[in-house]
């Protein structure tokens, strides 16, 4: 471990205080998003979060489970690896990397190393672990912690839940080239944060959600789209391709439906088709309102706002 680390105790720290601290630098869970290895976050969504433009994610069941089982995973690791670990109740920062911090799960006793505890029910994660590999986003998080702390090794313990459940642990040794590459990516990203310059938006769900939260309502103004014609041309070309592919997809489906006729299922050596009748029940609000005009139905309407996105060629608007 580096000797010049700065530590802020998390003992007695409120959730709001902890969230405020994490917004002032890049944490281990952010790191994978910055290099495109987090399926749940992107550079754009992390950027918006650091600037307080989006609310912190609400704790879901998977997050709660991971937190509650952290101690169990650490105990299983000690049993399996024959190691001893201790809690590190601090936010760790390093003056060499002022844009980063580390909230580590455990540190090893008698070894220059740490431990990251994970719980997963993802089939892909379980398959990787079972084959002796580990998810990329877990790996980047461990590299980030070695970067901040200076540790020579990080252990990764994974508890897989559900079908195919099991316990796995891995050893990740310090790689200076990997650390330098991650540090460079994080430094460049933090420059975007300090200058409030958004990273280039991508097509991931996390980016879409961030934009939706940041700009929920439209205003009565227009902007000059100079320089964006190529992007709109790409959008229009992709829209046409999607429509063409949808027609081809429907053609393929119709060929198969025609062969099935009234059969509700079909199987080949490689595939299975389900084509079963389903009954859908819906409420006819218009008819109900006409037959019960004495009832004020406005109390039962649920309103929501949306901003439909549409690109049209000016000479084809009409």
């Amino acid at each position: 471990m580096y000797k010049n680390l700065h530590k802020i105790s998390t003992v007695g720290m409120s959730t709001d205080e902890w969230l405020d601290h994490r917004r002032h630098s890049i944490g281990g869970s952010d790191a994978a998003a910055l290099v495109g290895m987090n399926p749940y976050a992107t550079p754009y969504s992390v950027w918006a979060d650091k600037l307080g433009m989006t609310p912190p994610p609400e704790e879901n069941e998977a997050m709660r489970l991971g937190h509650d089982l952290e101690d169990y995973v650490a105990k299983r690791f000690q049993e399996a690896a024959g190691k001893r670990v201790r809690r590190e109740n601090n936010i760790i920062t390093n003056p060499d990397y002022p844009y980063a911090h580390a909230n580590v799960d455990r540190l090893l006793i008698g070894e220059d190393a740490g431990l990251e505890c994970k719980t997963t029910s993802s089939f892909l994660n379980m398959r990787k672990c079972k084959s002796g590999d580990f998810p990329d986003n877990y790996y980047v998080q461990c590299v980030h912690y070695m970067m901040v702390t200076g540790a020579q090794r990080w252990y990764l313990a994974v508890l897989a839940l559900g079908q195919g459940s099991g316990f796995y642990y891995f050893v990740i040794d310090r790689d200076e080239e990997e650390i330098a590459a991650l540090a460079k990516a994080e430094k460049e990203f933090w420059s975007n944060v300090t200058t409030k310059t958004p990273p280039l938006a991508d097509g991931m769900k996390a980016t879409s959600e961030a934009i939706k939260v940041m700009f929920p309502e439209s205003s009565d103004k227009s902007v000059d789209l100079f320089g964006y014609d190529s992007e709109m041309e790409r959008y229009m070309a992709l829209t046409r391709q999607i429509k063409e592919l949808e027609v081809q997809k429907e053609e393929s489906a119709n060929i198969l439906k025609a062969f099935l006729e009234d059969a509700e299922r079909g199987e080949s050596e490689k595939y299975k088709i389900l084509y079963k009748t389903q009954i859908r029940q819906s409420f006819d609000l218009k008819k109900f309102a006409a037959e019960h005009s004495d009832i004020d139905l406005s109390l039962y309407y649920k309103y929501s706002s949306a901003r439909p996105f549409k690109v049209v060629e000016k000479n084809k608007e009409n």
Side-chain angles (χ1 to χ4, degrees), residues 66-222:
H67 180 268
D68 289 351
L69 291 176
E70 182 183 302
D71 192 52
Y72 173 77
V73 175
K75 288 179 180 177
R76 285 293 303 273
F77 168 76
Q78 290 183 113
E79 293 172 4
K83 307 278 186 179
R84 294 175 61 210
V85 302
R86 66 175 178 82
R87 291 180 180 274
E88 175 64 22
N89 298 314
N90 292 289
I91 297 173
I92 303 172
T93 59
N94 185 331
D96 292 337
Y97 307 101
Y99 43 80
H101 72 266
N103 274 119
V104 305
D105 289 339
R106 299 290 189 279
L107 292 177
L108 274 286
I109 296 174
E111 186 175 351
D112 191 9
L115 170 67
E116 175 64 19
C117 302
K118 292 293 186 184
T119 303
T120 184
S121 58
S122 163
F123 173 74
L124 292 177
N125 286 352
M126 285 190 279
R127 188 171 67 177
K128 271 200 165 189
C129 291
K130 195 172 183 179
S131 66
D133 201 357
F134 41 78
D136 292 335
N137 54 322
Y138 294 178
Y139 171 75
V140 176
Q141 191 167 355
C142 293
V143 173
H144 174 89
Y145 291 149
M146 284 187 280
M147 178 189 82
V148 174
T149 65
Q152 296 302 306
R153 176 175 293 172
W154 216 265
Y155 293 92
L156 170 65
V158 184
L159 176 65
L161 302 174
Q163 188 174 2
S165 61
F167 177 80
Y168 312 89
Y169 82 87
F170 307 92
V171 182
I172 301 172
D173 288 317
R174 186 180 181 89
D175 183 319
E176 296 298 343
E177 289 186 3
E178 293 277 286
I179 287 173
L182 182 61
K184 182 175 182 291
E186 292 191 12
K187 185 177 181 180
E188 290 174 353
F189 170 80
W190 200 248
S191 176
N192 287 96
V193 175
T194 56
T195 60
K196 298 185 179 180
T197 305
L200 186 65
D202 55 40
M204 300 297 288
K205 182 179 178 181
T207 297
S208 300
E209 289 298 319
I211 292 173
K212 183 178 178 180
V213 170
M214 291 163 61
F215 312 110
E217 302 289 341
S218 59
S219 62
D220 186 20
K221 69 178 182 180
S222 179

Side-chain angles (χ1 to χ4, degrees), residues 5 18 74 76 155 185 234 246 263 270 298:
L5 298 177
W18 182 81
R76 285 293 303 273
Y155 293 92
R234 183 169 81 106
E246 285 292 345
K270 191 174 180 181
S298 64

Side-chain angles (χ1 to χ4, degrees), residues 19-40:
L19 289 172
D20 182 62
H21 277 292
R22 67 173 288 277
R23 273 190 167 142
H24 285 82
S25 54
I26 300 164
S29 58
D30 302 319
L34 307 188
V35 292
M37 293 184 181
N38 188 333
Y40 308 110

Side-chain angles (χ1 to χ4, degrees), residues 264-314:
E264 69 176 31
R265 71 178 67 87
E267 291 188 33
S268 71
E269 185 177 341
K270 191 174 180 181
Y271 298 103
K272 179 170 66 174
I273 293 177
L274 297 177
Y275 190 32
K276 187 176 181 179
T277 303
Q278 295 182 345
I279 306 299
R280 181 186 175 191
Q281 188 177 38
S282 60
F283 183 73
D284 191 338
L285 180 61
K286 187 175 181 180
K287 183 179 179 181
F288 182 85
E291 295 178 358
H292 299 82
S293 58
D294 57 319
I295 300 177
D296 180 10
L297 297 178
S298 64
L299 300 174
Y300 302 95
Y301 283 103
K302 184 178 180 180
Y303 296 92
S304 61
S305 65
R307 294 184 66 186
F309 181 79
K310 186 177 183 181
V311 177
V312 296
E313 293 185 58
K314 285 186 176 180

